[in-house]
Amino acid sequence: DNDTFDDADSPRSKALDWFARIDPLRLPLDDPDREWKVRQRYVLALLYFSTGGEDWDMGANFVTDQDECRWFEIIDGFRENEFFPFGTRCDDQGRISAINIWWNNMSGTIPPELSYFADSLTEISFTGGGLSGTIPPELGKLTELRKLLLLENCLSGDVPESLFALSNLEVVTFPGNRDLTGSLNGFCNGNEFKGNLSHMEANCNSCPNSPTLLQCDCCICCDIVTYNCCDRQGHRLWNHANIKLNAAGQPSSFDKPCVAEETLTYYMEHKDDLSWITDGREW
């Protein structure tokens, strides 16, 4: 869409300007064997500018002189002596295989150009933040994708049906997006998963008295108000709320720009005893 480049403040213009004028690597544009590298670096810069990268809590080396396969930081995991690359990860051919950025003050929208990584991208984790807008249907082109983690954002609209065709998907998480709607039954075969899928969470209806935002016959369902997640018999499994303090000194799950009023009320009524919040399962 050329109109987005006419606006100097649009994420696409910012990414193109950075790539063309500022990027210290100065990748050659006339080498057809490296065209994929040019595109890869531009798309990752676009992700940065589309999701408010200037305000991320951790920059993860994005839009620096580092090769884009080095756009990550090593952070502590959830268990002792466990560590994770926070940011990008590449395969042995230098192509992007994972983008893991969670609870990092992301905002803005998910760029559809991520579909350019159709042959290599296996993991997306944008857990926790203020990402808004719809899930791009172009993500349905990511045929190698195994993990899609989008919980705890401000996404809206119907989940695109194009995702149902991703036969390599193993884990999908959508809870905590109060305006995300539609049906996930394209992932289901009755109460069972289709294909390689082994785990899926959404704001559906198996927790007692929870609002139904998404239809799903095979999901673990989570309550948008309490963040409890339940099996199909209504038994509580865990709570996915993140009460670690963010950069503003507030509990992360309750400081999102789109957090539901009912959720804030529930939290304020129970914040003196947080035993109802358990460690969520990490994928």
Side-chain angles (χ1 to χ4, degrees), residues 11-204:
R12 288 171 181 82
S13 288
K14 288 182 177 181
L16 183 61
D17 183 65
W18 175 82
F19 182 82
R21 294 195 313 107
I22 303 171
D23 183 7
L25 283 194
R26 300 291 183 184
L27 291 177
L29 302 180
D30 57 354
D31 183 354
D33 293 332
R34 303 287 284 174
E35 180 181 341
W36 65 269
K37 186 76 170 175
V38 171
R39 178 177 291 184
Q40 176 168 279
R41 196 164 174 85
Y42 166 76
V43 170
L44 289 171
L46 175 59
L47 173 66
Y48 175 86
F49 289 110
S50 294
T51 59
E54 301 98 323
D55 297 318
W56 287 359
D57 295 333
M58 287 196 297
N61 289 320
F62 270 67
V63 295
T64 66
D65 59 353
Q66 296 290 315
D67 185 277
E68 66 277 7
C69 290
R70 301 288 301 172
W71 286 3
F72 67 85
E73 299 179 33
I74 299 297
I75 65 171
D76 292 337
F78 301 97
R79 301 172 183 85
E80 188 175 356
N81 298 320
E82 187 177 48
F83 305 96
F84 288 105
F86 180 93
T88 65
R89 187 168 72 241
C90 289
D91 61 21
D92 57 6
Q93 302 298 314
R95 298 177 185 267
I96 292 296
S97 61
I99 309 172
N100 292 305
I101 304 172
W102 59 88
W103 294 109
N104 200 39
N105 198 34
M106 295 179 87
S107 59
T109 59
I110 301 172
E113 286 88 343
L114 290 181
S115 63
Y116 289 154
F117 303 141
D119 297 331
S120 62
L121 191 59
T122 64
E123 297 179 19
I124 294 175
S125 175
F126 296 153
T127 295
L131 291 176
S132 59
T134 58
I135 299 172
E138 289 85 355
L139 296 191
K141 298 177 182 178
L142 297 172
T143 55
E144 299 301 313
L145 199 64
R146 296 199 300 267
K147 292 184 179 181
L148 179 61
L149 312 182
L150 299 176
L151 69 158
E152 294 254 25
N153 277 289
C154 302
L155 297 169
S156 60
D158 287 356
V159 174
E161 294 182 1
S162 60
L163 300 183
F164 302 158
L166 296 178
S167 59
N168 287 313
L169 271 180
E170 299 171 1
V171 179
V172 182
T173 58
F174 293 124
N177 292 280
R178 68 174 188 178
D179 294 317
L180 200 60
T181 55
S183 173
L184 300 179
N185 284 333
F187 289 116
C188 305
N189 183 9
N191 291 333
E192 304 297 326
F193 296 125
K194 287 182 178 178
N196 293 327
L197 198 61
S198 61
H199 181 89
M200 184 162 59
E201 299 174 20
N203 291 123
C204 38

Side-chain angles (χ1 to χ4, degrees), residues 211-261:
T212 300
L213 306 183
L214 284 159
Q215 298 293 327
C216 186
D217 294 338
C218 60
C219 286
I220 289 173
C221 293
C222 303
D223 189 328
I224 191 66
V225 176
T226 66
Y227 294 165
N228 285 334
C229 296
C230 305
D231 62 20
R232 287 191 290 275
Q233 288 71 46
H235 301 132
R236 183 178 185 270
L237 299 172
W238 59 77
N239 186 289
H240 70 76
N242 181 0
I243 57 174
K244 291 182 179 179
L245 300 185
N246 60 20
Q250 300 298 320
S252 297
S253 283
F254 305 99
D255 195 42
K256 296 186 303 180
C258 59
V259 65
E261 192 64 36

